[in-house]
């Protein structure tokens, strides 16, 4: 006995969503570099927007993959996305210390390599034989890396390995000391963003799947989950970035969350009303 | 077996070509590590062994999925990824605690991780059975075997009509604990090996005292161990495709594929993790 996963057909093509998600998130990640040229980290909130772009793309990817009925539930896809993504993202932050301005591109490249290997293993060695498996897991590893990088940018204002591994602490006015334990990596805040991101990635389709699934409603929930996670990382950012920059991130996250939540409720009511003339749910042919 | 006969959702048997390519990939990662960071070659082998322990251990854990929540199939009512993550993280806590104490050697650290994972699964299985038996009022019965392989208890008479069994029979409980032990040991092995690499290399990277950068080493090894644990657990779950009752389930025979696959995945992920200190 398996649970039938049904989803809507049509809507915006997946390739279009992928292009918008990839370009949008990369542009937002590069906008966070503005922090290096201004007095405070006011551009940190762009990292959250990059994460939202990537989550929109990821939700559509998960929808494509899970429509094949992978038999392990939707959450497993979100977990493997971030399991592979965190490895790619950390290596990319280290590359950033050697080649400035390369981290977002490096994250995409490393994510694609790790994701493609995982997808190929699942498809060939484990004999899943799902046509979109390799492509989906490749995309999701990239998404995982981008979301983690975006959340890191919100929390710390940047994503260079040195910046997230050490924190300057003021002692007695002009004197400063370097603290490694109080840094973003030392406090293992990456684990927090790991779970925030993976839940935001797997929840929207998991919550909306079924005979009445509509693409615009699922995507709105994805954006809402992204902004909800961004509220938490913006709250964490008070420990690392300037007060004004953290307030700005928090305001952007709250406004985004409010707008997407209200829209999601509207769309849910619309779909609930459309369902009111009680269409029968067709039983799938042939249980395995 | 032809490609046509192997439907979506896990064909049976080993795919020889893919398995050979996987083993070649493992050797390539070992070669790259040997060139880039010769000291880390033992760590990469440890990571690969840890990964295949996780992949093997997942096959023991009785996973029931959504049908188990309705009492229509045996096992714990959640997905493989969630159960494996729970057991792995519980094991990692035990292992990380032991690794932080210089008095404990390698064997004690791995054993602490294994006990942590096994304990988590034992408690989970016990409470699942308590809720099934006293909450839902259904006895534990397997749908895959007529008699429990360990106790010899008959199953058929206790199985409700229209279900594949329900609850956790003794063999599933034992399987869950074995899976927790293997998963906890594997996750801790990955953590411990990476921690040795980072603790040795990071002081030169930051040009700081070893004690100062230890939090970074612990954090990096921990997040990588969690990431690799989830990758291996989900790949093993894809191998099982859905639900499994335990070591007596016919699907258990698929575990050689998971061992090859998880070793390959761990090798690639481990290479990336080790490259962090090389770049």
């Amino acid at each position: 006995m398996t649970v039938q996963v049904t989803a809507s057909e049509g809507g915006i093509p997946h390739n279009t969503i992928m292009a918008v998600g990839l370009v949008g998130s990369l542009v937002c990640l590069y906008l966070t570099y503005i922090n290096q040229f201004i007095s405070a980290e006011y551009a940190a909130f762009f990292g959250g927007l990059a994460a939202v772009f990537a989550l929109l793309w990821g939700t559509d990817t998960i929808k494509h993959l899970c429509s094949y009925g992978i038999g392990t539930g939707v959450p497993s896809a979100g977990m493997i996305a971030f399991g592979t993504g965190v490895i790619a993202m950390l290596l990319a932050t280290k590359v950033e210390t050697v080649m400035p301005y390369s981290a977002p591109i490096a994250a995409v490249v490393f994510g694609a390599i790790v994701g493609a290997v995982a997808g190929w293993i699942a498809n060939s060695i484990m004999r899943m034989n799902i046509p979109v498996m390799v492509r989906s897991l490749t995309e999701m590893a990239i998404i995982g890396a981008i979301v983690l990088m975006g959340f890191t940018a919100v929390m710390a204002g940047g994503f260079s390995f040195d910046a997230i591994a050490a924190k300057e602490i003021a002692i007695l006015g002009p004197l400063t000391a370097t603290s490694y334990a109080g840094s973003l990596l030392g406090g293992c805040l990456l684990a927090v963003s790991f779970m925030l991101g993976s839940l935001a990635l797997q929840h929207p389709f998991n919550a909306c799947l079924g005979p009445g699934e509509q693409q615009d409603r699922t995507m709105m929930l994805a954006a809402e989950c992204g902004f909800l996670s961004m509220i938490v990382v913006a709250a964490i950012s008070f420990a690392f970035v300037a007060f004004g920059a953290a307030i700005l991130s928090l305001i952007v996250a709250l406004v985004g969350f409010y707008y997407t939540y209200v829209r999601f409720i509207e769309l849910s009511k619309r779909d609930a009303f459309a369902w009111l003339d009680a269409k029968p749910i067709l039983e799938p042919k042939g249980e395995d | 077996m032809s490609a046509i006969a192997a439907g979506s959702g896990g064909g049976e048997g080993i795919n020889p070509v893919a398995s050979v390519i996987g083993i070649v990939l493992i050797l390539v990662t070992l070669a790259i590590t040997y060139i880039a960071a010769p000291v880390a070659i033992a760590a990469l082998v440890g990571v690969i062994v840890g990964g295949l322990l996780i992949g093997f251990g997942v096959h023991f854990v009785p996973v029931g999925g959504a049908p188990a929540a309705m009492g229509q199939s045996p096992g714990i009512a959640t997905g493989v990824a969630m159960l494996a993550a729970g057991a792995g993280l519980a094991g990692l806590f035990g292992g990380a605690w032991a690794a932080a104490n210089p008095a404990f050697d390698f064997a004690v650290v791995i054993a602490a991780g294994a006990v942590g994972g096994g304990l988590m699964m034992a408690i989970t299985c016990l409470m699942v059975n308590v809720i099934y038996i006293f909450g839902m009022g259904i006895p534990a019965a397997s749908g895959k075997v007529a008699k429990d392989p360990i106790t010899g208890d008959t199953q058929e008479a206790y199985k409700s009509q229209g279900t594949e069994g329900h609850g956790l029979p003794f063999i599933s409980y034992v399987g869950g604990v074995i899976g927790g032990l293997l998963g906890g040991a594997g996750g801790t092995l990955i953590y411990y090996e990476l921690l040795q690499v980072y603790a040795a290399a990071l002081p030169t990277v930051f040009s700081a005292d070893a004690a100062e950068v230890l939090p970074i080493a612990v954090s990096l090894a921990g997040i990588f161990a969690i990431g690799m644990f989830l990758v291996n657990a989900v790949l093993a779950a894809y191998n099982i495709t859905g639900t499994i009752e335990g070591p007596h389930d016919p699907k258990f025979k698929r575990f050689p594929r998971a061992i090859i696959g998880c070793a390959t995945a761990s090798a690639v992920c481990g290479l990336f993790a080790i490259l962090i200190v090389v770049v």
Side-chain angles (χ1 to χ4, degrees):
Chain A
M1 178 184 154
T2 54
V3 178
Q4 188 74 6
V5 176
T6 47
S8 63
E9 295 290 329
I12 308 168
H14 178 64
N15 287 342
T16 312
I17 293 176
M18 182 177 115
V20 171
L22 182 62
V23 173
S25 54
L26 281 180
V27 167
C28 287
L29 280 181
Y30 272 105
L31 284 172
T32 60
Y33 282 107
I34 295 172
N35 284 335
Q36 298 178 7
F37 306 104
I38 53 179
S39 57
E41 300 89 344
Y42 290 116
F45 73 90
F46 282 115
L49 298 184
V52 170
F53 268 112
L55 287 169
L56 286 170
W57 164 26
T59 298
D60 207 61
T61 306
I62 283 200
K63 180 174 153 181
H64 266 256
L65 176 63
C66 294
S67 299
Y68 281 87
I70 50 177
T72 57
V74 181
S76 65
M79 291 294 163
I80 196 168
F82 276 75
T84 47
V86 71
I87 294 162
M89 174 262 177
L90 275 170
L91 189 56
T93 59
K94 196 73 173 59
V95 170
E96 172 80 11
T97 58
V98 190
M99 295 165 59
Y101 307 113
S102 66
I105 301 290
V108 171
V109 173
F110 295 144
I113 295 169
V114 184
V117 169
W120 172 81
I121 289 168
N123 224 18
S124 299
I125 298 185
M126 309 296 187
R127 305 190 73 158
M128 292 278 285
N129 303 326
I130 290 177
V132 297
M133 190 83 194
V134 179
R135 182 182 159 170
S136 294
L137 284 192
T138 307
E139 284 178 28
M140 283 202 291
I142 297 171
I143 290 156
I146 288 177
V147 171
L148 284 167
M149 205 165 254
F151 284 163
T152 305
V154 176
M155 283 194 276
F159 35 70
S160 172
F161 191 78
D162 297 345
I164 59 177
K167 182 171 186 261
E168 298 292 320
I169 295 178
I171 42 171
L172 298 174
L175 293 173
T176 57
T178 307
S179 161
Y180 294 100
S183 67
L184 191 140
L185 264 182
C188 211
L189 287 168
L190 213 54
V192 180
S193 32
F194 186 104
M195 287 323 282
L196 282 172
S198 56
L199 289 176
L201 178 61
Q202 52 94 355
H203 174 68
F205 182 65
N206 210 20
C208 293
L209 65 84
E213 196 265 346
Q214 292 291 333
Q215 191 184 38
D216 56 352
R217 180 162 56 100
T218 310
M219 297 297 239
M220 195 56 73
L221 183 57
E224 188 246 320
C225 287
F227 282 118
L228 190 58
S229 299
M230 189 181 159
I231 292 174
V232 181
V233 289
I236 293 171
S237 74
F238 280 95
F240 298 103
V241 299
F243 185 77
I247 285 282
L248 183 64
S249 297
L250 193 59
I251 288 171
V252 169
L254 285 168
V255 168
F257 169 69
Y258 178 78
Y259 171 77
T260 47
Y261 181 75
V262 169
R263 285 285 298 140
F264 173 66
I265 295 292
E266 275 175 23
L267 292 170
S268 299
K269 287 178 177 170
R270 178 202 71 187
D271 289 348
F273 175 75
W275 197 253
L276 274 179
D277 46 357
K279 301 178 187 73
I281 299 172
L282 298 172
E283 283 294 322
K285 294 274 191 296
E287 291 281 322
D288 54 343
Chain B
M1 187 169 161
S2 70
I4 299 161
S8 170
E12 293 298 334
I14 289 183
N15 182 344
V17 178
S19 303
V20 169
I21 296 172
I23 291 163
V24 169
L25 259 179
I26 296 172
L27 295 175
V28 168
T29 55
L30 285 168
I32 294 173
T33 310
Y34 184 72
I35 295 161
V39 284
I41 195 94
L44 184 62
V45 173
V47 167
I48 293 170
V49 172
L52 61 88
L53 276 178
I54 294 164
F56 183 48
V58 166
H59 288 67
F60 284 90
V61 178
V63 179
M70 299 175 278
Q72 296 187 342
S73 77
I76 303 167
T78 182
V80 177
M82 299 300 131
L83 265 179
L89 295 182
L92 213 52
F93 285 133
W97 166 81
N101 190 332
F104 295 140
D105 61 354
F106 175 80
V108 178
V109 172
I110 304 302
V115 168
L119 199 59
M120 180 267 177
M121 282 309 302
I123 295 167
T124 308
C125 291
L126 178 72
M127 294 318 291
V128 162
N129 255 352
V130 165
I131 289 167
Y132 271 129
I133 293 161
F134 296 107
M136 293 168 77
I138 50 177
S142 163
K144 294 283 193 322
V145 284
K147 281 190 174 177
D148 191 304
I150 297 178
T151 60
D153 295 334
T154 51
Q155 306 288 316
E156 192 60 36
Y158 299 93
K159 193 163 75 76
S160 309
Q161 281 196 339
T163 69
E164 298 171 21
H166 30 64
L168 288 173
F170 191 76
I171 177 73
S172 298
Y173 189 105
V174 172
V177 176
I178 295 172
L181 288 169
L182 289 171
T188 307
L189 185 59
I190 293 176
Y191 169 79
Y192 187 80
E193 293 292 353
L194 288 178
L195 182 63
Q196 303 310 314
V197 173
Y198 295 142
L202 282 181
T204 50
V205 171
F206 290 108
S207 42
D209 290 344
E212 274 186 341
V213 292
L214 190 64
I216 304 285
V218 168
S219 171
L220 271 181
I223 194 81
F224 275 137
I226 294 168
M228 284 184 213
F229 197 97
L230 286 168
V231 170
N232 286 311
V234 173
L235 284 175
Y238 285 164
N239 188 35
I240 296 166
T241 55
T243 60
I244 185 165
E245 268 192 35
H248 58 291
D249 195 301
K251 281 186 183 176
F252 183 77
K253 295 189 182 74
R254 295 181 185 176
F255 78 83
R257 292 191 314 206
I259 286 182
I260 299 167
C262 288
T264 313
S266 305
V268 175
C269 292
L271 173 69
F272 276 58
I274 287 165
L275 282 180
I276 281 211
V277 292
V278 178
V279 172

